[in-house]
Amino acid sequence: MESMFALSGRGWWSTLWNHLKPEAHPEAEAGCISLFQGALWSRRLQASEGLSLTCTEGRLWLTFEQDSRDHVLEPGATLRLEQAGHVVVQALRPARFRLAKDGQRPCPP
């Protein structure tokens, strides 16, 4: 309960920023990511990464800096992220997705 009060004022923004900035989560470089409904995940991609984002559960909304379209991904849908830029993913309902380089295995069930 004490931690809720510690997030007031400027501390809240600092905590949010530290949670969203890519370097704060090295485990999110590639792998399975779970989001609760409404949660956001973002990352700045490098051009040489050549990643694929696959929705494995739930429903995701995705926007990408180099793409003027928005994308909604259902389970099994994959979007290839080949260019440098910032990607933002939001769970439209509780969701799970796989961020993978070519040749990586899918998320375990």
Side-chain angles (χ1 to χ4, degrees):
M1 201 64 153
E2 185 177 293
S3 63
M4 289 176 61
F5 297 109
L7 296 180
S8 62
R10 192 169 185 187
W12 181 85
W13 284 108
S14 177
T15 301
L16 178 63
W17 172 250
N18 287 332
H19 176 71
L20 291 177
K21 65 182 182 179
E23 58 271 20
H25 295 288
E27 72 278 5
E29 289 302 309
C32 300
I33 294 106
S34 296
L35 298 174
F36 57 86
Q37 185 171 341
L40 293 170
W41 177 91
S42 70
R43 180 170 173 215
R44 181 159 300 280
L45 303 175
Q46 304 301 317
S48 61
E49 290 183 277
L51 298 173
S52 293
L53 191 147
T54 302
C55 179
T56 58
E57 185 179 313
R59 189 175 202 193
L60 300 169
W61 168 83
L62 183 140
T63 189
F64 187 59
E65 184 176 7
Q66 300 298 330
D67 189 345
S68 61
R69 300 167 294 165
D70 288 351
H71 302 272
V72 175
L73 302 179
E74 301 283 344
T78 297
L79 184 64
R80 185 104 168 103
L81 306 169
E82 298 174 331
Q83 300 176 354
H86 197 153
V87 63
V88 177
V89 177
Q90 183 175 28
L92 298 176
R93 58 180 173 238
R96 190 172 180 193
F97 66 92
R98 171 84 176 166
L99 186 64
K101 295 183 180 184
D102 290 335
Q104 284 186 323
R105 321 176 294 165
C107 294

